[in-house]
Amino acid sequence: MRSMTAYGITVAGASFWGLTGLFVQNLYIFGLSPIQVVTVRMVLSTIIMFALVSIIRPYLLKIFIRDIPHFVGLGVVSIALFNWCYFTVMEQSSLSVAVVLLYTSPVFVALMSRFIFKEPLTLNKIAAIILTLAGCSLVAGLLPGGAMNITFTVLMIGVASGFFCALYSVIGKFVSRKYHSVTITAYSMLCGSIFLLPISNLEQNVKPFTHPMTWVYAVGSVLISTILAYVLYTAGLKYIESSHAAILSTVEPIVAIMVGVTVFNDILTVWQSLGIVLVFSSILLAVFSRKKKFIAKKKKKQFSLVFPYKK
């Protein structure tokens, strides 16, 4: 895969994530809690993905037992907990604030990747991290005067969503070279569903599902902002550095904030708008940073070893 193609599909996946609020905010209207919305998305995603893959490309469901802990980490920590934190901020504050606080994640990714994968902290990455931190501080109200326009609890949950989101790029790197992005997404969703079902109390809140529109929003969130988003992002992660992928994914606020302002009438101050511009600027630094050389032959060989019966 060419480098620009890898960047493109990573940005496309993040853009579909940006549509999450369009579906989730409407699911709240029908009486579902944040953890129940996460559970519905993950369970439906699991069912749809395993059904389609088992029919179209069953060989993609082959995994090694030793890699199960990575799928558990991705599903439980990087998807289930991340989404719960993200949706909680969305419910208690606004979509725009939730999505920008989420983008403290590049900071965590860059720092963890430096020590785990020995990825260099280039000047562009450091500048992008600084812009992201400054932008998020402006959105949260920490700058310029320190008078936050959200509660400290909401701020911490928002930062936690960024941390858990960052772990997807880090944990996913361990299996992204060995498995197809569809395989990783399917098993991650399965592990997250198994974790969430017993604690969501979803069986005690079935009334929302008597409304046809509940299913429209639920299925839309699954097909567009869950399956397509994770498959495309994970596919791009195979060919670019974790920290680059995380910074590129900040294209999500562009889409999410447009949804928040145009659909849900979110009101942004001048300082918050400036913060959003700073976060967006970090994307340009990631795109124009020095490209990593791709070792196509080696990756092709690794893929053939994992799937020996694929022609």
Side-chain angles (χ1 to χ4, degrees), residues 17 42 70-80 82-83 105 108-109 112-113 117 161-176 180-189 226-227 229-237 242 245-246:
W17 272 331
M42 296 195 72
H70 291 121
F71 294 120
V72 172
L74 286 171
V76 175
V77 179
S78 302
I79 299 181
F82 146 60
N83 275 280
S105 60
F108 296 114
V109 173
M112 288 187 286
S113 296
F117 303 118
S161 71
F163 175 73
F164 292 136
C165 180
L167 287 176
Y168 188 88
S169 295
V170 175
I171 300 174
K173 201 69 175 177
F174 288 103
V175 289
S176 63
H180 194 281
S181 58
V182 171
T183 307
I184 297 171
T185 306
Y187 279 99
S188 299
M189 293 295 175
T226 303
I227 293 178
Y230 277 103
V231 168
L232 291 174
Y233 182 80
T234 307
L237 186 63
S242 301

Side-chain angles (χ1 to χ4, degrees), residues 69-109:
H70 291 121
F71 294 120
V72 172
L74 286 171
V76 175
V77 179
S78 302
I79 299 181
L81 293 181
F82 146 60
N83 275 280
W84 176 79
C85 291
Y86 180 37
F87 293 171
T88 298
V89 177
M90 197 182 299
E91 180 192 42
Q92 297 184 14
S93 181
S94 70
L95 171 58
S96 299
V97 170
V99 77
V100 176
L101 285 180
L102 169 64
Y103 280 95
T104 53
S105 60
V107 178
F108 296 114
V109 173

Side-chain angles (χ1 to χ4, degrees), residues 13-27 37 41 82-83 86-87 90 95 99 102 217 220-221 224-226 229-230 252 255-256 259 264:
S15 298
F16 287 132
W17 272 331
L19 295 175
T20 300
L22 180 64
F23 303 107
V24 172
Q25 292 281 64
N26 283 293
L27 286 173
V37 172
R41 291 182 72 204
F82 146 60
N83 275 280
Y86 180 37
F87 293 171
M90 197 182 299
L95 171 58
V99 77
L102 169 64
Y217 292 125
S221 72
I224 297 173
S225 61
T226 303
Y230 277 103
E252 178 183 348
V255 179
V259 171
F264 300 109

Side-chain angles (χ1 to χ4, degrees), residues 6 16 35 40 52 78:
F16 287 132
I35 194 170
V40 168
L52 291 177
S78 302

